[in-house]
Amino acid sequence: MKIGFYIQWSKGSLNSRGNVLGDELFAESMCKTLLQFQGIESCELFAPNYLPKHKLDVMIYLNDVKPNNRWAAKHLLYLQNAYGEGSDKALARFQQIGYDGYIFVSNKLCNMQKQKGCPAIFLPFGVDVNMFQPHKKSLRYDYDVSYIGNDIKGEKRTLLYLYPAVDYNFGLYGNWMPSLRQKLLFKRLPYQKKFASISKGKILQNEIPLLYSSAKINLNCTAQDCVDWDVITLRTYEVLACKGFLITDIVPVAERELKDCVIFTNGGDDLKEKIEYYLARPEERERIAHNGYHYVIENATITARMKTLNAFLRKIL
């Protein structure tokens, strides 16, 4: 079987000065894992700057790109991004494009699609445990609280679930500096100015597991669309795979699946109280992080997810 994944942006974000493209990193992990399975002849990530030279059996699009029949015999959409308009509305648009099937990180969306009789599979995020694994704690990343990201979650969620960390030794990484266009067109909000002043910029990809293992508390802030459609983010699994201690906002499926593995917060003052509480209780942090690590190893590895995908592809091709 010849498999391709396709992203709508150019490959190469890992070595660029800008943000690392999550779609690229996740797709490369899927390709690497699928190539270990018997019967997979080839599996590559394609992009506008790296197009297929030979026709594939299936192309899996990680963004809503119109299928190209010259590239593959079958075309699947992997709906794994968050959409400001809502994933249900985005899906309604994508259904007009002409995919042969769908892959979802939301079971709610998957069930909606199955009712229409179209091939669909629920495939939650999976973490590459060869990349994300526990490390010996480093003094370089011995923060009270850490977060990696950029200003895409919106003012409300950022103020609730991230901004309270500024009162602590906060290891904030990512691109929080506004572009020239943003400076000219938009008035910067106080939290944006503060985060731009304290952000340490881009962190090397191979240093991220070290940060997650070393920081006393890691934060997760989920996009509202993922909350609405019950999605556990990839960041959640990556932190836990490093035996990192995580405080996250509330997503119903995470509350069910990750009980005793992470700490949930309503944000704001509640987040401050929980940061204070767990900073003072290292043994309790270690116990919860240990639970999270074993959950990921047993349930949420990229290998386990790709076994599911491989079986689905063989069924529909």
Side-chain angles (χ1 to χ4, degrees), residues 155-312:
E155 180 183 6
K156 180 179 178 180
R157 298 193 71 77
T158 300
L159 288 176
L160 271 176
Y161 299 110
L162 299 178
Y163 197 75
V166 300
D167 292 333
Y168 303 89
N169 178 20
F170 187 19
L172 177 66
Y173 289 86
N175 182 14
W176 292 90
M177 292 297 295
S179 66
L180 179 60
R181 179 176 180 274
Q182 289 171 326
K183 288 180 180 179
L184 293 174
L185 295 181
F186 304 104
K187 181 180 179 180
R188 297 174 67 199
L189 299 171
Y191 85 86
Q192 294 172 322
K193 294 179 182 179
K194 179 66 175 179
F195 277 17
S197 70
I198 66 174
S199 173
K200 294 165 177 60
K202 184 175 180 177
I203 182 172
L204 295 175
Q205 194 62 36
N206 61 4
E207 292 282 294
I208 293 176
L210 187 56
L211 172 66
Y212 289 159
S213 296
S214 302
K216 296 178 179 69
I217 296 171
N218 298 282
L219 296 181
N220 179 58
C221 177
T222 308
Q224 185 61 51
D225 188 45
C226 292
V227 176
D228 294 340
W229 292 100
D230 232 7
V231 175
I232 298 177
T233 63
L234 181 55
R235 180 204 308 274
T236 299
Y237 294 136
E238 289 173 346
V239 172
L240 299 187
C242 299
K243 282 192 180 178
F245 176 79
L246 181 68
I247 298 181
T248 182
D249 49 358
I250 298 171
V251 179
V253 66
E255 281 193 302
R256 296 193 302 270
E257 291 290 321
L258 300 177
K259 182 181 179 182
D260 300 324
C261 297
V262 303
I263 297 301
F264 296 96
T265 179
N266 293 312
D269 289 340
D270 178 69
L271 176 55
K272 285 186 178 181
E273 291 173 8
K274 285 174 176 169
I275 290 174
E276 293 281 355
Y277 179 90
Y278 286 103
L279 283 177
R281 291 166 174 80
E283 291 182 359
E284 196 165 348
R285 294 200 312 266
E286 185 175 345
R287 176 184 62 79
I288 294 169
H290 184 81
N291 292 341
Y293 171 74
H294 283 283
Y295 176 90
V296 167
I297 295 301
E298 294 169 9
N299 300 283
T301 66
I302 192 70
T303 299
R305 304 303 195 210
M306 291 305 97
K307 285 180 181 178
T308 301
L309 178 59
N310 186 39
F312 176 70

Side-chain angles (χ1 to χ4, degrees), residues 135-146:
H135 285 64
K136 183 179 178 181
K137 295 184 185 300
S138 167
L139 291 176
R140 187 163 78 257
Y141 295 121
D142 184 27
Y143 299 110
D144 291 337
V145 188
S146 84

